[in-house]
Amino acid sequence: PDDPTTAWVFRGIVALIVVNVVAAILLTDDRFRHAFPYDFRMIEVISLVVFGGEYLLRLWSCVESPRLRGRNPLQARLSWAMSPAAIVDLAALLPFAIMHLYPTDIRALALVRLLRFFKLARYSPGLASLLEAVRAERHALLACFVVMCGGIVIFATAMYELEGPAQPDKFGSIPLAMWWAVVTITTVGYGDVVPLSGAGRIVAGLTMIAGIFLLALPVGIVASSFIEVIRRRHFMVTWG
Amino acid sequence: PDDPTTAWVFRGIVALIVVNVVAAILLTDDRFRHAFPYDFRMIEVISLVVFGGEYLLRLWSCVESPRLRGRNPLQARLSWAMSPAAIVDLAALLPFAIMHLYPTDIRALALVRLLRFFKLARYSPGLASLLEAVRAERHALLACFVVMCGGIVIFATAMYELEGPAQPDKFGSIPLAMWWAVVTITTVGYGDVVPLSGAGRIVAGLTMIAGIFLLALPVGIVASSFIEVIRRRHFMVTWG
Amino acid sequence: PDDPTTAWVFRGIVALIVVNVVAAILLTDDRFRHAFPYDFRMIEVISLVVFGGEYLLRLWSCVESPRLRGRNPLQARLSWAMSPAAIVDLAALLPFAIMHLYPTDIRALALVRLLRFFKLARYSPGLASLLEAVRAERHALLACFVVMCGGIVIFATAMYELEGPAQPDKFGSIPLAMWWAVVTITTVGYGDVVPLSGAGRIVAGLTMIAGIFLLALPVGIVASSFIEVIRRRHFMVTWG
Amino acid sequence: PDDPTTAWVFRGIVALIVVNVVAAILLTDDRFRHAFPYDFRMIEVISLVVFGGEYLLRLWSCVESPRLRGRNPLQARLSWAMSPAAIVDLAALLPFAIMHLYPTDIRALALVRLLRFFKLARYSPGLASLLEAVRAERHALLACFVVMCGGIVIFATAMYELEGPAQPDKFGSIPLAMWWAVVTITTVGYGDVVPLSGAGRIVAGLTMIAGIFLLALPVGIVASSFIEVIRRRHFMVTWG
């Protein structure tokens, strides 16, 4: 990444991925698809050439990488092709094949095209840092998740008992009440399911205040962990 | 917990508790209950055997624990049976009895089955850490709670004065206005109760901004305390 | 506060204040007022005796306090009676007078009774700590407030330009659009005012993401400041 | 800023900017505009004199500033007039011109008047601190933004697949589903777009919990960075 040419090639690939993701998003909207059918095909052809070329170059040059040096070339290339990064790169070539096999299935095509988003993680040290931060505190985050699930189950059960008889379509079973509980504990609060009785509102108020305390846990843990990781790495660009 | 067999027994019990909680949740939904009546009974029988066996084994072996050694066996066993952990274990056996006494009361059965969730706390060091973190900062958290209640009362009173005459069914008494205030201060914002006048909206805006500042207190305290606790304990598995 | 008798007197006064605040809240609800008219009067009489006695004892003993010792007694007592704490104590005696002058004005009575809530601050070191924390970071918090107001004005203006012509009753002026902006930036999200056009939704999305960043400022400042204050004071009970 | 006269002049200019911004906001409301037409013109004339005078004085005195001393006066004045601060100052004089050219276009006038808000940044060290804090952590914040966009795209795609067929007007394309995703991930939760199917609600619940974790990143980064900046600068008033 010291070489300015390499940096420009990187930026070009990142830009092409972003263009692809934006195109895949707009593709699902009928007005955009009918307005620019030709351009979407052009992007697909350019992507096939660039991502295909990148894949072949990486497959050819992977024998030079320090991790694989010393093995025989075929074995090294097979070992690289099985790595998660190489599979993400290969998946980025899928949409072209799909487009020719099922040319009209827009829904499947959108999904496959968005797989290219994960390709961005290879060029984005921020995403890699996030994964590292999450990995470092995975036990604490799992405990948070258990505590949050516990809170959701307990408050959902309380509301099922209190509001269930009065609003059977909204609190008539614990799974239904859990929808209300997760919307409330995360402070999203759509307002599609709301308690009406006095007792239900008191329990809902406690749920909201508990939500604040339950939110504090992952916020504190992720934030402190991520800050530490970004301080340590200084966002160096990682080599694939 | 060093012994791999013990670790697998622990994981098995945790899995059985999770299965029980999920079954208790799904049991309250009519479609699930009618689709799998047999399986829910199977889970209950397996749970009775495992949790009953666990209870008897713990009752038998508790005389060996460092805390109770030295007392005579009967006294030690009685002392253990009175501990909160043992009561939680005993409560986990209740659903079987209830099911045979009142076989049709689904609502009570759901509640008693979910008591098993608390059994999970014995095997989850994360939950134990959370309780420890909350205990360590209980004075600060109580002060936060008082400040938050004060904010809710003050803003509810202001809205009762401003919006009460115009919307008597929503702001016609301070308890009603407190429902709006708690929904707003915790930033949940259902939207079922909303001020309509200009003065009411200005007070509501101040409530929201005050809410942000009031939320900062528990978030900061719980987060910093929990981070400290998890650093100190390194999530060691606690022995019952 | 070392003396156990003093501690019990303190707790009794705190309990009486809490009872008064709860009574003042319930008083505004017609059902509660008609159900327990006698008890509310009893609370008022007991409060008059206790708070009146407290006021007279403090007025009599204030000459002993280190701050006022050395002055002549009358001057010391006048100086104490002018202090904010003494005015809060005197205001706590007002409801009795109001009740006899305008016995039916429930709305005014509720407001005056809730003034007693501020009396709690004298006995709650947590509230005193919060005020201290807010005071210590008042410049930073003012800057946050300016930044937040700036964000609200800028995004409200943008929405007034984009959605104003289509929804004149909701975005037809900047003050109206500011109601939407404050509800969105604080992540409350009532949903009573929502953009409908594509451009409006893009600006709204940016407002929400900006809201997250703007919220981070007061949360970080208040939290870090409050944590520092509570560590320094260890929640010692302050003497009035 | 040591000189008390300078401090009062600063406060007067800040007050005039605030009056201008408030007037520009109220101007867009028909009732206010018809009630006080004369005063709004008065504010405009006073602003023209003060801000015009300030601009001319700064233009005249800028040759004395350490940065520009040594150059010839004309060159120094041109160099100052091209700086962002000087352009903001000049823009603050625009509304007077616009008012005489298009006296009835309230919408454009409001926008141009609000440009004066940016003038406040010159006199507010808090705003300058915020910009500095954002600049210091711009790489980390960009990574957060990418992660958040990734989350929005992924969850929007999942909901497009799950809820799209059932609610085509709300989840019928990925851009539409992204509106739901951004409202949910930022925990705003308007409630205008809500999943109805069981699978959609499970994905929505995961989106909310992911939103909590994604929010933790910018909160932690901005908060820690801003705290550091304000500690370093102690909110010294910056000289324009």
PDB file of all heavy atoms in Angstrom, chain D residues 157-180:
ATOM      1  N   THR D 157     -32.238  -5.405   2.890  1.00  0.00           N
ATOM      2  CA  THR D 157     -32.372  -6.466   1.904  1.00  0.00           C
ATOM      3  C   THR D 157     -33.160  -7.644   2.479  1.00  0.00           C
ATOM      4  O   THR D 157     -34.047  -8.201   1.814  1.00  0.00           O
ATOM      5  CB  THR D 157     -30.976  -6.931   1.445  1.00  0.00           C
ATOM      6  OG1 THR D 157     -30.244  -5.790   1.020  1.00  0.00           O
ATOM      7  CG2 THR D 157     -31.074  -7.929   0.316  1.00  0.00           C
ATOM      8  N   ALA D 158     -32.847  -7.998   3.739  1.00  0.00           N
ATOM      9  CA  ALA D 158     -33.560  -9.112   4.369  1.00  0.00           C
ATOM     10  C   ALA D 158     -35.055  -8.808   4.461  1.00  0.00           C
ATOM     11  O   ALA D 158     -35.893  -9.666   4.165  1.00  0.00           O
ATOM     12  CB  ALA D 158     -32.974  -9.369   5.764  1.00  0.00           C
ATOM     13  N   MET D 159     -35.410  -7.566   4.856  1.00  0.00           N
ATOM     14  CA  MET D 159     -36.821  -7.215   4.982  1.00  0.00           C
ATOM     15  C   MET D 159     -37.500  -7.125   3.617  1.00  0.00           C
ATOM     16  O   MET D 159     -38.686  -7.423   3.495  1.00  0.00           O
ATOM     17  CB  MET D 159     -36.975  -5.885   5.720  1.00  0.00           C
ATOM     18  CG  MET D 159     -36.673  -5.989   7.179  1.00  0.00           C
ATOM     19  SD  MET D 159     -37.618  -7.252   8.037  1.00  0.00           S
ATOM     20  CE  MET D 159     -38.968  -6.254   8.600  1.00  0.00           C
ATOM     21  N   TYR D 160     -36.739  -6.685   2.603  1.00  0.00           N
ATOM     22  CA  TYR D 160     -37.276  -6.634   1.236  1.00  0.00           C
ATOM     23  C   TYR D 160     -37.669  -8.029   0.787  1.00  0.00           C
ATOM     24  O   TYR D 160     -38.733  -8.232   0.175  1.00  0.00           O
ATOM     25  CB  TYR D 160     -36.224  -5.996   0.329  1.00  0.00           C
ATOM     26  CG  TYR D 160     -36.368  -6.259  -1.137  1.00  0.00           C
ATOM     27  CD1 TYR D 160     -37.395  -5.677  -1.870  1.00  0.00           C
ATOM     28  CD2 TYR D 160     -35.446  -7.064  -1.803  1.00  0.00           C
ATOM     29  CE1 TYR D 160     -37.509  -5.891  -3.231  1.00  0.00           C
ATOM     30  CE2 TYR D 160     -35.557  -7.282  -3.159  1.00  0.00           C
ATOM     31  CZ  TYR D 160     -36.585  -6.709  -3.875  1.00  0.00           C
ATOM     32  OH  TYR D 160     -36.700  -6.928  -5.222  1.00  0.00           O
ATOM     33  N   GLU D 161     -36.836  -9.011   1.131  1.00  0.00           N
ATOM     34  CA  GLU D 161     -37.146 -10.392   0.749  1.00  0.00           C
ATOM     35  C   GLU D 161     -38.340 -10.938   1.538  1.00  0.00           C
ATOM     36  O   GLU D 161     -39.204 -11.631   0.990  1.00  0.00           O
ATOM     37  CB  GLU D 161     -35.928 -11.310   0.997  1.00  0.00           C
ATOM     38  CG  GLU D 161     -34.652 -10.903   0.269  1.00  0.00           C
ATOM     39  CD  GLU D 161     -34.691 -11.220  -1.229  1.00  0.00           C
ATOM     40  OE1 GLU D 161     -35.489 -12.079  -1.637  1.00  0.00           O
ATOM     41  OE2 GLU D 161     -33.927 -10.593  -1.981  1.00  0.00           O
ATOM     42  N   LEU D 162     -38.389 -10.606   2.874  1.00  0.00           N
ATOM     43  CA  LEU D 162     -39.402 -11.217   3.743  1.00  0.00           C
ATOM     44  C   LEU D 162     -40.751 -10.517   3.678  1.00  0.00           C
ATOM     45  O   LEU D 162     -41.798 -11.165   3.664  1.00  0.00           O
ATOM     46  CB  LEU D 162     -38.917 -11.214   5.198  1.00  0.00           C
ATOM     47  CG  LEU D 162     -37.794 -12.182   5.541  1.00  0.00           C
ATOM     48  CD1 LEU D 162     -37.249 -11.902   6.921  1.00  0.00           C
ATOM     49  CD2 LEU D 162     -38.296 -13.616   5.461  1.00  0.00           C
ATOM     50  N   GLU D 163     -40.737  -9.162   3.728  1.00  0.00           N
ATOM     51  CA  GLU D 163     -41.991  -8.412   3.825  1.00  0.00           C
ATOM     52  C   GLU D 163     -42.411  -7.788   2.496  1.00  0.00           C
ATOM     53  O   GLU D 163     -43.537  -7.323   2.362  1.00  0.00           O
ATOM     54  CB  GLU D 163     -41.858  -7.292   4.877  1.00  0.00           C
ATOM     55  CG  GLU D 163     -41.748  -7.787   6.301  1.00  0.00           C
ATOM     56  CD  GLU D 163     -43.117  -8.058   6.934  1.00  0.00           C
ATOM     57  OE1 GLU D 163     -44.078  -7.372   6.574  1.00  0.00           O
ATOM     58  OE2 GLU D 163     -43.196  -8.961   7.779  1.00  0.00           O
ATOM     59  N   GLY D 164     -41.472  -7.753   1.522  1.00  0.00           N
ATOM     60  CA  GLY D 164     -41.766  -7.127   0.233  1.00  0.00           C
ATOM     61  C   GLY D 164     -43.046  -7.633  -0.425  1.00  0.00           C
ATOM     62  O   GLY D 164     -43.908  -6.825  -0.795  1.00  0.00           O
ATOM     63  N   PRO D 165     -43.221  -8.961  -0.564  1.00  0.00           N
ATOM     64  CA  PRO D 165     -44.441  -9.441  -1.241  1.00  0.00           C
ATOM     65  C   PRO D 165     -45.720  -9.053  -0.505  1.00  0.00           C
ATOM     66  O   PRO D 165     -46.730  -8.760  -1.143  1.00  0.00           O
ATOM     67  CB  PRO D 165     -44.244 -10.966  -1.251  1.00  0.00           C
ATOM     68  CG  PRO D 165     -42.771 -11.165  -1.124  1.00  0.00           C
ATOM     69  CD  PRO D 165     -42.275 -10.039  -0.278  1.00  0.00           C
ATOM     70  N   ALA D 166     -45.678  -9.015   0.862  1.00  0.00           N
ATOM     71  CA  ALA D 166     -46.900  -8.743   1.618  1.00  0.00           C
ATOM     72  C   ALA D 166     -47.214  -7.243   1.689  1.00  0.00           C
ATOM     73  O   ALA D 166     -48.369  -6.842   1.707  1.00  0.00           O
ATOM     74  CB  ALA D 166     -46.775  -9.317   3.031  1.00  0.00           C
ATOM     75  N   GLN D 167     -46.180  -6.396   1.760  1.00  0.00           N
ATOM     76  CA  GLN D 167     -46.403  -4.952   1.880  1.00  0.00           C
ATOM     77  C   GLN D 167     -45.621  -4.236   0.776  1.00  0.00           C
ATOM     78  O   GLN D 167     -44.628  -3.565   1.059  1.00  0.00           O
ATOM     79  CB  GLN D 167     -45.918  -4.443   3.254  1.00  0.00           C
ATOM     80  CG  GLN D 167     -46.614  -5.085   4.433  1.00  0.00           C
ATOM     81  CD  GLN D 167     -46.284  -4.346   5.730  1.00  0.00           C
ATOM     82  OE1 GLN D 167     -46.784  -3.252   5.981  1.00  0.00           O
ATOM     83  NE2 GLN D 167     -45.444  -4.935   6.540  1.00  0.00           N
ATOM     84  N   PRO D 168     -46.040  -4.372  -0.495  1.00  0.00           N
ATOM     85  CA  PRO D 168     -45.228  -3.818  -1.593  1.00  0.00           C
ATOM     86  C   PRO D 168     -45.053  -2.302  -1.533  1.00  0.00           C
ATOM     87  O   PRO D 168     -44.055  -1.777  -2.014  1.00  0.00           O
ATOM     88  CB  PRO D 168     -45.991  -4.241  -2.857  1.00  0.00           C
ATOM     89  CG  PRO D 168     -47.347  -4.588  -2.393  1.00  0.00           C
ATOM     90  CD  PRO D 168     -47.245  -5.042  -0.978  1.00  0.00           C
ATOM     91  N   ASP D 169     -46.014  -1.574  -0.921  1.00  0.00           N
ATOM     92  CA  ASP D 169     -45.856  -0.115  -0.871  1.00  0.00           C
ATOM     93  C   ASP D 169     -44.871   0.323   0.200  1.00  0.00           C
ATOM     94  O   ASP D 169     -44.445   1.469   0.209  1.00  0.00           O
ATOM     95  CB  ASP D 169     -47.222   0.549  -0.616  1.00  0.00           C
ATOM     96  CG  ASP D 169     -47.834   0.062   0.684  1.00  0.00           C
ATOM     97  OD1 ASP D 169     -47.686  -1.137   0.981  1.00  0.00           O
ATOM     98  OD2 ASP D 169     -48.432   0.871   1.404  1.00  0.00           O
ATOM     99  N   LYS D 170     -44.508  -0.586   1.133  1.00  0.00           N
ATOM    100  CA  LYS D 170     -43.604  -0.210   2.221  1.00  0.00           C
ATOM    101  C   LYS D 170     -42.260  -0.903   2.154  1.00  0.00           C
ATOM    102  O   LYS D 170     -41.258  -0.371   2.603  1.00  0.00           O
ATOM    103  CB  LYS D 170     -44.283  -0.494   3.566  1.00  0.00           C
ATOM    104  CG  LYS D 170     -45.443   0.444   3.815  1.00  0.00           C
ATOM    105  CD  LYS D 170     -46.135   0.164   5.111  1.00  0.00           C
ATOM    106  CE  LYS D 170     -47.178   1.240   5.380  1.00  0.00           C
ATOM    107  NZ  LYS D 170     -48.013   0.901   6.532  1.00  0.00           N
ATOM    108  N   PHE D 171     -42.232  -2.157   1.630  1.00  0.00           N
ATOM    109  CA  PHE D 171     -40.979  -2.891   1.522  1.00  0.00           C
ATOM    110  C   PHE D 171     -40.763  -3.401   0.098  1.00  0.00           C
ATOM    111  O   PHE D 171     -40.035  -4.363  -0.112  1.00  0.00           O
ATOM    112  CB  PHE D 171     -40.968  -4.086   2.490  1.00  0.00           C
ATOM    113  CG  PHE D 171     -40.970  -3.732   3.936  1.00  0.00           C
ATOM    114  CD1 PHE D 171     -42.135  -3.769   4.684  1.00  0.00           C
ATOM    115  CD2 PHE D 171     -39.800  -3.345   4.568  1.00  0.00           C
ATOM    116  CE1 PHE D 171     -42.131  -3.444   6.036  1.00  0.00           C
ATOM    117  CE2 PHE D 171     -39.795  -3.017   5.913  1.00  0.00           C
ATOM    118  CZ  PHE D 171     -40.960  -3.068   6.643  1.00  0.00           C
ATOM    119  N   GLY D 172     -41.416  -2.756  -0.900  1.00  0.00           N
ATOM    120  CA  GLY D 172     -41.405  -3.285  -2.263  1.00  0.00           C
ATOM    121  C   GLY D 172     -40.109  -3.109  -3.027  1.00  0.00           C
ATOM    122  O   GLY D 172     -39.963  -3.665  -4.116  1.00  0.00           O
ATOM    123  N   SER D 173     -39.156  -2.307  -2.504  1.00  0.00           N
ATOM    124  CA  SER D 173     -37.842  -2.178  -3.135  1.00  0.00           C
ATOM    125  C   SER D 173     -36.837  -1.943  -2.018  1.00  0.00           C
ATOM    126  O   SER D 173     -37.217  -1.580  -0.899  1.00  0.00           O
ATOM    127  CB  SER D 173     -37.821  -1.014  -4.123  1.00  0.00           C
ATOM    128  OG  SER D 173     -37.863   0.208  -3.445  1.00  0.00           O
ATOM    129  N   ILE D 174     -35.553  -2.170  -2.316  1.00  0.00           N
ATOM    130  CA  ILE D 174     -34.553  -1.987  -1.251  1.00  0.00           C
ATOM    131  C   ILE D 174     -34.495  -0.525  -0.800  1.00  0.00           C
ATOM    132  O   ILE D 174     -34.418  -0.268   0.400  1.00  0.00           O
ATOM    133  CB  ILE D 174     -33.184  -2.557  -1.685  1.00  0.00           C
ATOM    134  CG1 ILE D 174     -33.300  -4.087  -1.813  1.00  0.00           C
ATOM    135  CG2 ILE D 174     -32.117  -2.212  -0.658  1.00  0.00           C
ATOM    136  CD1 ILE D 174     -32.018  -4.773  -2.217  1.00  0.00           C
ATOM    137  N   PRO D 175     -34.590   0.479  -1.710  1.00  0.00           N
ATOM    138  CA  PRO D 175     -34.605   1.862  -1.197  1.00  0.00           C
ATOM    139  C   PRO D 175     -35.746   2.114  -0.206  1.00  0.00           C
ATOM    140  O   PRO D 175     -35.542   2.773   0.819  1.00  0.00           O
ATOM    141  CB  PRO D 175     -34.761   2.703  -2.464  1.00  0.00           C
ATOM    142  CG  PRO D 175     -34.134   1.887  -3.525  1.00  0.00           C
ATOM    143  CD  PRO D 175     -34.444   0.465  -3.169  1.00  0.00           C
ATOM    144  N   LEU D 176     -36.935   1.565  -0.464  1.00  0.00           N
ATOM    145  CA  LEU D 176     -38.042   1.717   0.483  1.00  0.00           C
ATOM    146  C   LEU D 176     -37.726   1.022   1.807  1.00  0.00           C
ATOM    147  O   LEU D 176     -37.958   1.575   2.883  1.00  0.00           O
ATOM    148  CB  LEU D 176     -39.331   1.118  -0.103  1.00  0.00           C
ATOM    149  CG  LEU D 176     -40.106   1.978  -1.095  1.00  0.00           C
ATOM    150  CD1 LEU D 176     -41.263   1.192  -1.678  1.00  0.00           C
ATOM    151  CD2 LEU D 176     -40.615   3.248  -0.441  1.00  0.00           C
ATOM    152  N   ALA D 177     -37.181  -0.204   1.721  1.00  0.00           N
ATOM    153  CA  ALA D 177     -36.857  -0.943   2.940  1.00  0.00           C
ATOM    154  C   ALA D 177     -35.740  -0.260   3.720  1.00  0.00           C
ATOM    155  O   ALA D 177     -35.667  -0.372   4.950  1.00  0.00           O
ATOM    156  CB  ALA D 177     -36.463  -2.376   2.605  1.00  0.00           C
ATOM    157  N   MET D 178     -34.863   0.489   3.012  1.00  0.00           N
ATOM    158  CA  MET D 178     -33.786   1.200   3.707  1.00  0.00           C
ATOM    159  C   MET D 178     -34.346   2.314   4.593  1.00  0.00           C
ATOM    160  O   MET D 178     -33.748   2.652   5.615  1.00  0.00           O
ATOM    161  CB  MET D 178     -32.787   1.773   2.712  1.00  0.00           C
ATOM    162  CG  MET D 178     -31.818   0.732   2.210  1.00  0.00           C
ATOM    163  SD  MET D 178     -30.779   1.369   0.895  1.00  0.00           S
ATOM    164  CE  MET D 178     -29.608   2.338   1.835  1.00  0.00           C
ATOM    165  N   TRP D 179     -35.461   2.915   4.190  1.00  0.00           N
ATOM    166  CA  TRP D 179     -36.107   3.925   5.045  1.00  0.00           C
ATOM    167  C   TRP D 179     -36.503   3.286   6.372  1.00  0.00           C
ATOM    168  O   TRP D 179     -36.232   3.824   7.444  1.00  0.00           O
ATOM    169  CB  TRP D 179     -37.328   4.513   4.330  1.00  0.00           C
ATOM    170  CG  TRP D 179     -38.227   5.337   5.200  1.00  0.00           C
ATOM    171  CD1 TRP D 179     -39.517   5.087   5.531  1.00  0.00           C
ATOM    172  CD2 TRP D 179     -37.905   6.573   5.864  1.00  0.00           C
ATOM    173  NE1 TRP D 179     -40.021   6.061   6.346  1.00  0.00           N
ATOM    174  CE2 TRP D 179     -39.051   6.985   6.572  1.00  0.00           C
ATOM    175  CE3 TRP D 179     -36.750   7.349   5.939  1.00  0.00           C
ATOM    176  CZ2 TRP D 179     -39.083   8.152   7.332  1.00  0.00           C
ATOM    177  CZ3 TRP D 179     -36.774   8.504   6.704  1.00  0.00           C
ATOM    178  CH2 TRP D 179     -37.926   8.897   7.379  1.00  0.00           C
ATOM    179  N   TRP D 180     -37.120   2.082   6.319  1.00  0.00           N
ATOM    180  CA  TRP D 180     -37.459   1.370   7.542  1.00  0.00           C
ATOM    181  C   TRP D 180     -36.192   1.050   8.339  1.00  0.00           C
ATOM    182  O   TRP D 180     -36.150   1.217   9.557  1.00  0.00           O
ATOM    183  CB  TRP D 180     -38.210   0.059   7.210  1.00  0.00           C
ATOM    184  CG  TRP D 180     -38.309  -0.833   8.393  1.00  0.00           C
ATOM    185  CD1 TRP D 180     -39.233  -0.773   9.379  1.00  0.00           C
ATOM    186  CD2 TRP D 180     -37.399  -1.884   8.750  1.00  0.00           C
ATOM    187  NE1 TRP D 180     -38.972  -1.715  10.321  1.00  0.00           N
ATOM    188  CE2 TRP D 180     -37.857  -2.407   9.966  1.00  0.00           C
ATOM    189  CE3 TRP D 180     -36.253  -2.421   8.152  1.00  0.00           C
ATOM    190  CZ2 TRP D 180     -37.192  -3.454  10.605  1.00  0.00           C
ATOM    191  CZ3 TRP D 180     -35.595  -3.457   8.788  1.00  0.00           C
ATOM    192  CH2 TRP D 180     -36.063  -3.974   9.996  1.00  0.00           C
TER     193      TRP D 180
END
